[in-house]
Amino acid sequence: MINFKSYITEASAPGKNTHMTHIEDRVLYGGVKGAREAIFALRGMRDMLAGESSKTTDVTVKWDGAPAVFAGIDPTDGKFFVAKKGIFNKNPKVYKTNADVDADTSGDLASKLKVALSELSKLGIKGVVQGDLLFTDDVDTETIDGEKYYTFQPNTIVYAVPVNSDLGKKINKAKIGIIFHTTYNGSDFESMKASYKVDTGSFKQSDSIFFDDAGLKDVSGTLLSKEETDEVTKALSVAGKIFQKIQGSTLRQIEKDPSLSQELETFNNTYVRAGEKIKDSKKHVVNLLKWYEQRYTKEVDKRKSVAGKEKVVQKKDERLKFFSASNKKNLELVFELQKQLVVAKELIISKLDKVKKMSTFVRTKQGFKVTGQEGFVAIDKIAGGAIKLVDRLEFSYNNFSKDVIKGWEK
């Protein structure tokens, strides 16, 4: 399978699992190389699920937990700690006592970190691991479609486990629930490198801790039928043909200007927020230019001085130089390529979502609504890199939607 390492965005700390781009957005952020890798990565996923590849790929579930928690042994002094993403600051923020937690956090976050500090120390973690916190003292009992569940909602997704199931009995006893997904190795926090796997089998067991790794077990060769494999192949074949038509100069211009890449992604996200797919790529480019006009008009209106207004107009003129006739045509192809990558991605996600350990819902004003997992991560076991596959018109839309009640809004 193609090397995934470049999928970790340059905005992240080197070798740290703090952010990954959506696979279709590699076309924007990775240029020619990123577009090519996105196609090959999806081919690799297809082959794995159809049972046609060597054992080079792992798949993990993206859990909608909060906060991201780091735990383990500080290599500089041998003491157990927990931390948030501030662990990778120039001056790392790690918590080794309740007083450390209180000095940097407050409220519900502080309470959860104190539970994590007390409970996760029982696991006998040797190095440093990262996980998504699912619950501490906020597990509810709710009836959904006539069945009683233990539920917890750290963010957008409500996870539900039948009360009378073996898993439900474990959760009922636990003081904390966490899914581990990344291991770090290094002589200090700054030099640590991420490995997208956690050997939870080496951890000590405790009834007060529900934990697991994020891996999907035994998915290779079990999910895609011949007809479904052909569907994915068709989408990727179309993607490949579109890619061949795009001038490399346009992709390189976008890649070399991170602010432009971000603006294109931001504009695409206006469709996600509205729950709409990109349909007509030519119209999409026209709407993109209108969006730029409105954006800069608002910026001009904010400025009080003539000089300030002129500065914004200059900035607008400079940006719009990119939209030459040639680049407009190539942008249409870029958006067409993204559309085809999404088609292939969604076919793969629909299959992966059938293999899950817990029921997943969103909480709306009208009641519970079934939803899929947050997404999945494909990991190259040889090179160690990872890519993110998320159904943005489901999870991302739910994330943005005011009709969906989030965990912190209950």
Side-chain angles (χ1 to χ4, degrees):
M1 193 171 184
I2 202 73
N3 186 326
F4 286 161
K5 279 202 170 182
S6 62
Y7 281 93
I8 300 175
T9 179
E10 290 76 5
S12 304
K16 310 300 191 294
N17 183 11
T18 54
H19 180 75
M20 285 180 280
T21 52
H22 293 278
I23 189 169
E24 63 270 24
D25 286 342
R26 289 303 300 156
V27 179
L28 304 179
Y29 291 99
V32 174
K33 184 171 180 285
R36 186 179 291 117
E37 287 172 342
I39 293 170
F40 282 125
L42 286 167
R43 284 181 188 171
M45 287 288 291
R46 172 204 62 191
D47 293 345
M48 182 198 71
L49 296 176
E52 298 175 2
S53 69
S54 60
K55 302 288 185 178
T56 60
T57 305
D58 275 334
V59 178
T60 63
V61 179
K62 281 183 64 60
W63 290 76
D64 190 29
V69 171
F70 298 77
I73 305 302
D74 184 337
T76 65
D77 64 11
K79 293 182 180 180
F80 181 81
F81 74 92
V82 296
K84 302 178 296 174
K85 291 183 179 179
I87 185 175
F88 298 124
N89 290 353
K90 187 174 182 179
N91 295 311
K93 286 187 177 182
V94 297
Y95 314 120
K96 298 173 183 176
T97 66
N98 284 348
D100 291 340
V101 174
D102 287 332
D104 189 55
T105 65
S106 62
D108 186 54
L109 175 59
S111 298
K112 286 183 174 293
L113 288 172
K114 288 176 184 177
V115 174
L117 181 63
S118 171
E119 294 297 325
L120 300 185
S121 62
K122 300 175 183 177
L123 295 178
I125 299 167
K126 300 299 183 185
V128 176
V129 294
Q130 178 184 352
D132 292 314
L133 190 63
L134 298 181
F135 62 82
T136 51
D137 60 351
D138 45 0
V139 176
D140 295 321
T141 303
E142 300 184 83
T143 299
I144 304 174
D145 294 334
E147 183 166 8
K148 189 175 286 187
Y149 290 90
Y150 290 125
T151 64
F152 41 93
Q153 187 183 6
N155 267 320
T156 300
I157 292 176
V158 178
Y159 294 98
V161 180
V163 166
N164 294 323
S165 66
D166 290 340
L167 182 55
K169 291 171 184 176
K170 285 183 180 179
I171 287 172
N172 188 41
K173 292 179 181 178
K175 295 180 180 178
I176 187 171
I178 188 168
I179 302 293
F180 294 107
H181 53 73
T182 307
T183 300
Y184 293 89
N185 292 292
S187 58
D188 54 44
F189 296 126
E190 185 177 4
S191 63
M192 283 184 173
K193 302 296 182 185
S195 172
Y196 297 91
K197 190 172 184 179
V198 179
D199 180 17
T200 55
S202 66
F203 293 173
K204 296 176 183 178
Q205 295 294 318
S206 171
D207 286 344
S208 63
I209 309 169
F210 166 72
F211 69 91
D212 201 351
D213 64 77
L216 270 179
K217 277 67 171 182
D218 302 322
V219 296
S220 182
T222 63
L223 295 178
L224 281 181
S225 67
K226 173 67 167 57
E227 293 75 17
E228 291 162 342
T229 301
D230 289 344
E231 279 189 79
V232 178
T233 299
K234 181 180 178 181
L236 292 176
S237 176
V238 173
K241 290 174 183 176
I242 295 169
F243 174 54
Q244 293 299 324
K245 295 178 182 178
I246 303 173
Q247 288 183 0
S249 58
T250 299
L251 287 173
R252 284 189 288 272
Q253 275 185 274
I254 298 171
E255 180 189 11
K256 289 178 181 178
D257 187 347
S259 65
L260 176 58
S261 303
Q262 290 166 10
E263 287 163 3
L264 295 177
E265 183 186 4
T266 298
F267 174 66
N268 285 347
N269 279 342
T270 63
Y271 282 70
V272 174
R273 288 174 184 269
E276 298 176 4
K277 288 189 174 183
I278 299 171
K279 296 176 182 177
D280 184 334
S281 294
K282 187 171 184 178
K283 185 176 180 181
H284 195 64
V285 173
V286 171
N287 289 339
L288 171 63
L289 287 169
K290 289 179 181 177
W291 178 79
Y292 267 114
E293 288 287 347
Q294 292 170 356
R295 186 171 183 170
Y296 281 110
T297 297
K298 288 179 181 177
E299 284 297 312
V300 169
D301 291 342
K302 288 179 184 177
R303 300 296 187 270
K304 302 298 183 184
S305 68
V306 174
K309 293 178 183 294
E310 288 179 349
K311 188 174 181 180
V312 174
V313 171
Q314 289 173 1
K315 184 178 177 182
K316 170 188 171 183
D317 292 342
E318 187 63 33
R319 168 59 77 221
L320 294 183
K321 286 180 182 178
F322 169 77
F323 296 94
S324 63
S326 174
N327 274 348
K328 283 181 184 178
K329 181 61 180 175
N330 279 286
L331 264 181
E332 292 171 17
L333 292 171
V334 166
F335 292 134
E336 282 295 321
L337 174 56
Q338 287 190 299
K339 281 168 55 179
Q340 287 303 314
L341 293 175
V342 169
V343 170
K345 177 187 76 170
E346 289 180 348
L347 286 167
I348 289 170
I349 286 175
S350 69
K351 291 301 169 182
L352 289 174
D353 198 56
K354 294 182 182 301
V355 184
K356 58 184 179 182
K357 300 172 183 176
M358 300 180 188
S359 298
T360 48
F361 302 89
V362 288
R363 193 186 305 272
T364 73
K365 295 169 184 177
Q366 292 75 42
F368 288 101
K369 177 184 174 184
V370 174
T371 191
Q373 299 276 12
E374 176 186 344
F376 302 88
V377 178
I379 301 161
D380 185 339
K381 292 195 286 189
I382 296 173
I387 59 171
K388 178 169 70 175
L389 290 83
V390 174
D391 184 343
R392 294 166 97 169
L393 282 191
E394 182 174 60
F395 177 75
S396 299
Y397 173 75
N398 286 335
N399 235 357
F400 293 136
S401 175
K402 293 181 180 179
D403 293 329
V404 173
I405 302 167
K406 312 305 188 294
W408 61 88
E409 296 174 333
K410 288 192 298 177

